[in-house]
Amino acid sequence: MTYLEIAKTKFDNLKNKKDVLILSVESSCDETSIALVRNGREVLANIISTQIEIHKQFGGVVPEVASRNHIKNISTVLEEALAKAEVSLQDIDAIAVTYGAGLMGALLVGVNFAKTLAYALKLPLIAVSHVHGHIGANYISHKTLQPPFCCLMVSGGHTAIVRVEDYCDYHLIGSTVDDSVGECFDKVARVLGLSYPGGPNIDRLAREGKNVVKFNYKAPLQNTYNFSFSGLKTAVVNFVHNKEQKNEQFSKEDLAYSFQQLVVDELSGKTMNACRELGLDKLVVAGGVGANSWLRERLQSDCEREKIKLYLPDLKYCTDNAAMIGAIAYYYVLNGIGLADLTLTAKPTVNI
Ligand code: KG4
Ligand code: ZN
């Protein structure tokens, strides 16, 4: 039998196997991560080697540098993951990998590593969308969570409201027409002189602000579930440049506070409307911006008022990690989707 025939047979048989152990690989941006996840919910190991300190000196992720560091780290990350989980390569049922969205060179490192492992071990290779992975993070944090639910997807690459009808059945309700909310956090942080990644630093600074700063901005795209963040980003950048040119002082804390308030208003307001209109009483948050303390608090109180049950991923599963890829890969297996052959390649963008 060829590799693909063996992989296909094993893949199909996994649906009926009691325990499915998936080794998952994530390398879409600046974290090299490998996890071992059982039955989509139980994390045996989730090793993350972050490159934040390396990219900090450049003010953002340098794609070529990210790829090189993935190559440098990935074998050690695998060894650590196997040791932490106390399993051997022979115990694994399938290899899952993020094939997109992300940086092309960075993704290719993970994809080629996973292909090699799958071929050498004669195991099914499962191609996973990073966006689905962020949703999957919630199945780890909330063991009994099941679709249907409404999902607010807020990451560095995506900003969207999604109706999740079933584990692998997604319907886009609205999305950003320009920048993602994560990009907007990072750009605003940069103009305020905060280091990369900007989101957590804005989050911290905003906690010290208390006065609303008025700047030239009016929230666009009312009466739709789509978002637009580039106008807000430009308004903050113009405000800061203007102050600098005139040599006028301003409070960075208050500016971060005001910016974050506008973002959170926009995200929570539209999401509550969507839940109401779709008749969904469960809201799931996904992606790195889901770690934002203010967004988490605001969604808690808005959901309480609207009688919606809120599911927030644990902070460690909000940002990029391989466990979330292994979690959703299990549901790909149960739904018979995602089996890839050795021609699998990386994709810089994917649709939800
Ligand atoms: O989901 P993620 O780790 O990567 C992508 O798939 O894009 O999201 C990264 C984004 C970055 O823009 C980062 O600044 C933002 O998430 N982020 C935050 C916070 N923590 C991470 N944004 C706001 N507040 C935070 N606490
Ligand atoms: Zn991500």
Side-chain angles (χ1 to χ4, degrees), residues 29-51:
C29 191
D30 59 346
E31 330 279 357
T32 320
S33 182
I34 294 187
L36 286 135
V37 182
R38 189 182 285 142
N39 299 337
R41 304 271 177 169
E42 189 191 347
V43 180
L44 307 191
N46 181 35
I47 306 297
I48 305 170
S49 165
T50 180
Q51 304 174 14

Side-chain angles (χ1 to χ4, degrees), residues 28 130 134 154-158 181-183 185-186 197-200 203 260 287-289 291-293 318-320:
S28 64
H130 184 81
H134 274 301
V154 277
S155 72
H158 290 85
V181 63
E183 261 177 288
F185 265 99
D186 292 340
D203 196 350
Q260 193 170 258
V289 182
N292 184 268
S293 62
C318 283
T319 42
D320 293 348

